[in-house]
Amino acid sequence: MYQYTSFDRQFVKQRAAQYRDQLERNLAGTLGDDEFRPLRLQNGWYVQRHAPMLRVAVPYGDLTSNQIRAFARIARDFDRGYAHLTTRQNVQYNWIPLDRSADVMDALAEVDLHGIQTSGNCIRNTTTDCFAGVAPDEIVDPRPYCEVLRQWSTLHPEFAFLPRKFKIAVSGATEDRAATAWHDIGLHLLKNEAGEVGFKVLVGGGMGRTPVVGTVIREFLPWQQILVFIEAIVRVYNRHGRRDNMYKARIKILVKAEGPKFIADVEEEFKNILEHDVDGNAHLIPQAELDRVAQSFVVPQGVVPRASTFQMPDDAPVAFKRWIERNVHAHKVSGYRAVTLSLKRVGQAPGDATDAQFDHAADLADRFSEGEIRVSHDQNLVLPWVREDELFALWEAAKAASFASPNIGLLTDMINCPGGDFCALANARSIPVAAAIADRFADLDELYDIGDIDLHMSGCINSCGHHHSGHIGILGVDKDGKEWYQVSLGGSDGSRISGEAAAGKVIGPSFAADEVPDVIEAVIETYRHQRAANELFIDTVKRVGLDAFKSAANAARRSTAKAA
């Protein structure tokens, strides 16, 4: 993990002190709410439906056990005892009083965390594969490059007030586990025939009202040039992106409208920076700087390759066998595995963790994973450095902490935004619908028969639950002040089982909330009747088409039958 320097720590603490001064002036009435709003947003503080919300930046999803314990303390001492993990590998609190927010910023700064640029029209948190550095299919470890991007983009004066928010994702493996095609910029690390490291660059991906898959604008860019090339992209966006209509302000709209001209403008700007800007080549990354950052991303000293001898005992509990199958992942270091701690279980909103669970997760990280833990895009926690001979002990400890649901990749391992229970932008609640689906599919035997499937749910068109990329997507919409839900099928995030990134297609008019579990069950039953041997849900949808699923879903209507 990246180790903060004295400069880094001073920077974060000064930022916290600056925020305290702004807050105190606002509470005293000398700094108006309109003036304070952009300042608090730049530090991750929203005002939501019921209370302030804080989004804490977790750069590329990597955390220490001490940082997880800080999350527990903040949840316990300032919030209502829990927090929420997001699809962008951040952590959100929903009930912290604004007059205590500066104390929270100080507490975060003590463990090298903050909320800088987790909101506002700026370059947000850079995300990556939660198995970065440990995945067997990794070509290049993306974390050092993510850290260079973090340092470069933080409070970059040219990109603090973009037309809209801006998100970057990086993948360094053959499988894209970072949904890069759905980001404003998606970066794929690769090696050319000469063995040189570079980036495949995609631009203009995004969800929301207009789901668009990113466009490849460079097949191979030498890694040294990546900051200059991103600067060129964002300059063109800053110059030509729309500011008159927030719904058309994302870079995806500009790329779609301009097409080849956008790419030509980026290439021209890239050339101009290097040839004509004063010190334009100063952001070419020197090898020495990459090496300095990369020193923080080596295999921990306690991790020593050992013979891979794990064998499942014949008398092992069925629950342990299932956990090994679903929650335990291959590793590039012999004798080790990565393990997912599931935050998806009946009675708990997907992606939520209590203060006690955070403390338990920190203990598990110290005991089994060299004090390191990751936040995944799928809103779970990952232990990246687990010895094979400790898997059974970890399973028992995870089970005691309610982390051992063996459902990773299955229907109940759903992505879900907080929805209308918290978010001021949401049109509908998503947590009760997720709970109803989890209740309906609580039988593990049935889940295992259904197999791998991505269910993603958003409470509004802003798509924080990435519903467009779900094999099954659910979108909350508002009709005449009532909650309704669109269902789409066939979406893909670009991962191995999903195939090339694509937006799902809506299968008919919206459904009432109490119909959604029946609709999902009808869709699943159609799959079970239509599937070929060993065929995944997404592959059956692609082969069969939507009509059979649409008919089954419409047959499940009750209160919306006449409207349909």
Side-chain angles (χ1 to χ4, degrees):
M1 293 187 60
Y2 178 70
Q3 303 298 313
Y4 263 36
T5 65
S6 57
F7 171 84
D8 294 317
R9 291 196 173 93
Q10 183 182 20
F11 173 84
V12 171
K13 289 182 178 180
Q14 285 179 340
R15 183 73 172 186
Q18 181 187 60
Y19 175 77
R20 179 178 290 279
D21 175 68
Q22 294 164 350
L23 174 67
E24 289 176 349
R25 287 188 286 134
N26 174 252
L27 295 177
T30 59
L31 180 66
D33 288 343
D34 290 342
E35 297 168 294
F36 181 54
R37 182 176 182 273
L39 300 175
R40 63 171 168 76
L41 285 172
Q42 289 171 10
N43 286 288
W45 287 96
Y46 294 74
V47 174
Q48 290 286 47
R49 188 178 297 273
H50 302 296
M53 184 199 84
L54 168 63
R55 181 178 295 137
V56 182
V58 181
Y60 38 91
D62 215 352
L63 291 164
T64 67
S65 57
N66 285 338
Q67 289 172 327
I68 285 284
R69 288 191 180 93
F71 287 150
R73 288 194 299 272
I74 292 169
R76 188 163 46 245
D77 296 343
F78 296 92
D79 204 283
R80 294 187 177 180
Y82 65 97
H84 178 74
L85 280 63
T86 80
T87 56
R88 292 197 49 74
Q89 300 179 303
N90 291 321
V91 172
Q92 292 180 179
Y93 294 92
N94 288 294
W95 298 101
I96 300 174
L98 196 62
D99 60 5
R100 303 189 70 191
S101 59
D103 295 335
V104 174
M105 301 302 280
D106 288 340
L108 290 170
E110 288 299 322
V111 292
D112 303 340
L113 290 171
H114 56 76
I116 301 169
Q117 291 182 200
T118 59
S119 178
N121 296 333
C122 58
I123 296 176
R124 301 281 187 91
N125 185 43
T126 297
T127 58
T128 193
D129 182 0
C130 63
F131 300 117
V134 305
D137 68 332
E138 189 166 82
I139 302 166
V140 181
D141 187 344
R143 294 173 300 166
Y145 301 93
C146 291
E147 177 56 30
V148 170
L149 280 169
R150 183 194 71 82
Q151 294 187 22
W152 170 78
S153 63
T154 300
L155 300 188
H156 193 304
E158 193 170 356
F159 306 137
F161 298 97
L162 297 171
R164 278 293 272 131
K165 57 187 177 181
F166 201 90
K167 300 174 181 180
I168 301 174
V170 189
S171 174
T174 57
E175 179 179 2
D176 181 4
R177 289 178 288 266
T180 56
W182 288 110
H183 284 73
D184 299 287
I185 293 179
L187 302 176
H188 289 203
L189 278 155
L190 44 83
K191 293 182 179 179
N192 63 15
E193 293 181 356
E196 299 167 322
V197 174
F199 290 93
K200 180 180 179 179
V201 182
L202 293 80
V203 175
M207 297 191 184
R209 295 173 184 272
T210 309
V212 180
V213 172
T215 299
V216 177
I217 67 169
R218 268 293 187 103
E219 290 288 350
F220 185 87
L221 178 82
W223 65 267
Q224 297 92 338
Q225 301 175 3
I226 190 60
L227 297 184
V228 181
F229 198 71
I230 292 177
E231 181 142 359
I233 292 170
V234 184
R235 278 190 184 183
V236 172
Y237 172 50
N238 213 4
R239 187 180 306 137
H240 299 297
R242 294 186 61 171
R243 286 181 161 86
D244 62 322
N245 186 334
M246 68 174 294
Y247 301 116
K248 296 183 179 181
R250 295 293 294 271
I251 193 174
K252 65 184 180 182
I253 303 298
L254 181 63
V255 173
K256 189 175 181 179
E258 297 290 326
K261 184 179 182 301
F262 175 86
I263 300 174
D265 286 349
V266 169
E267 293 290 351
E268 181 180 3
E269 185 66 33
F270 177 60
K271 181 179 178 181
N272 286 338
I273 292 173
L274 292 176
E275 294 181 0
H276 301 298
D277 274 18
V278 175
D279 294 328
N281 62 357
H283 283 154
L284 293 173
I285 306 171
Q287 182 68 55
E289 175 61 10
L290 182 66
D291 291 345
R292 180 190 73 82
V293 174
Q295 288 175 1
S296 294
F297 300 100
V298 296
V299 175
Q301 288 186 350
V303 174
V304 179
R306 59 193 67 231
S308 182
T309 59
F310 177 78
Q311 290 185 333
M312 181 66 67
D314 292 337
D315 60 348
V318 172
F320 177 64
K321 292 178 180 179
R322 284 176 162 168
W323 183 78
I324 289 290
E325 177 186 349
R326 281 286 155 188
N327 297 46
V328 178
H329 316 278
H331 205 288
K332 65 166 53 177
V333 178
S334 178
Y336 283 80
R337 302 289 183 94
V339 175
T340 298
L341 304 178
S342 177
L343 293 180
K344 317 294 174 60
R345 64 184 180 88
V346 173
Q348 185 167 337
D352 279 6
T354 66
D355 58 333
Q357 285 180 310
F358 278 126
D359 279 331
H360 288 314
D363 293 342
L364 295 178
D366 283 338
R367 182 179 171 189
F368 297 103
S369 187
E370 302 296 321
E372 184 177 350
I373 199 164
R374 311 272 179 86
V375 178
S376 76
H377 163 70
D378 295 319
Q379 299 173 291
N380 292 308
L381 295 171
V382 173
L383 300 177
W385 307 103
V386 180
R387 283 172 40 174
E388 287 182 345
D389 60 1
E390 294 186 329
L391 285 171
F392 189 81
L394 171 56
W395 172 68
E396 291 189 311
K399 187 170 55 170
S402 301
F403 284 138
S405 298
N407 64 343
I408 301 306
L410 299 177
L411 184 66
T412 55
D413 183 24
M414 65 187 81
I415 287 177
N416 197 44
C417 76
D421 287 303
F422 299 99
C423 181
L425 300 177
N427 296 316
R429 293 175 296 170
S430 52
I431 293 174
V433 176
I437 294 171
D439 286 339
R440 181 69 60 91
F441 293 94
D443 185 276
L444 275 174
D445 289 331
E446 182 180 20
L447 283 177
Y448 274 69
D449 178 68
I450 295 168
D452 289 276
I453 188 167
D454 291 342
L455 191 155
H456 300 172
M457 190 182 334
S458 300
C460 77
I461 199 63
N462 288 292
S463 312
C464 293
H466 288 211
H467 64 277
H468 290 298
S469 66
H471 302 163
I472 299 176
I474 302 174
L475 167 64
V477 295
D478 174 31
K479 292 184 179 181
D480 300 324
K482 295 182 180 180
E483 297 176 327
W484 299 77
Y485 297 85
Q486 284 184 353
V487 175
S488 58
L489 299 179
S492 168
D493 58 7
S495 59
R496 177 181 52 80
I497 68 165
S498 300
E500 187 175 344
K505 295 181 179 179
V506 177
I507 59 171
S510 302
F511 298 91
D514 63 349
E515 294 174 335
V516 174
D518 293 332
V519 169
I520 301 306
E521 184 173 5
V523 166
I524 294 299
E525 286 306 307
T526 302
Y527 156 64
R528 295 169 91 171
H529 284 100
Q530 297 277 357
R531 64 185 173 185
N534 301 315
E535 189 174 44
L536 297 176
F537 175 86
I538 185 64
D539 295 326
T540 300
V541 171
K542 291 176 181 178
R543 177 177 59 83
V544 172
L546 298 182
D547 286 347
F549 295 95
K550 182 176 181 179
S551 296
N554 283 328
R557 292 183 184 276
R558 294 187 302 277
S559 57
T560 63
K562 292 182 180 180

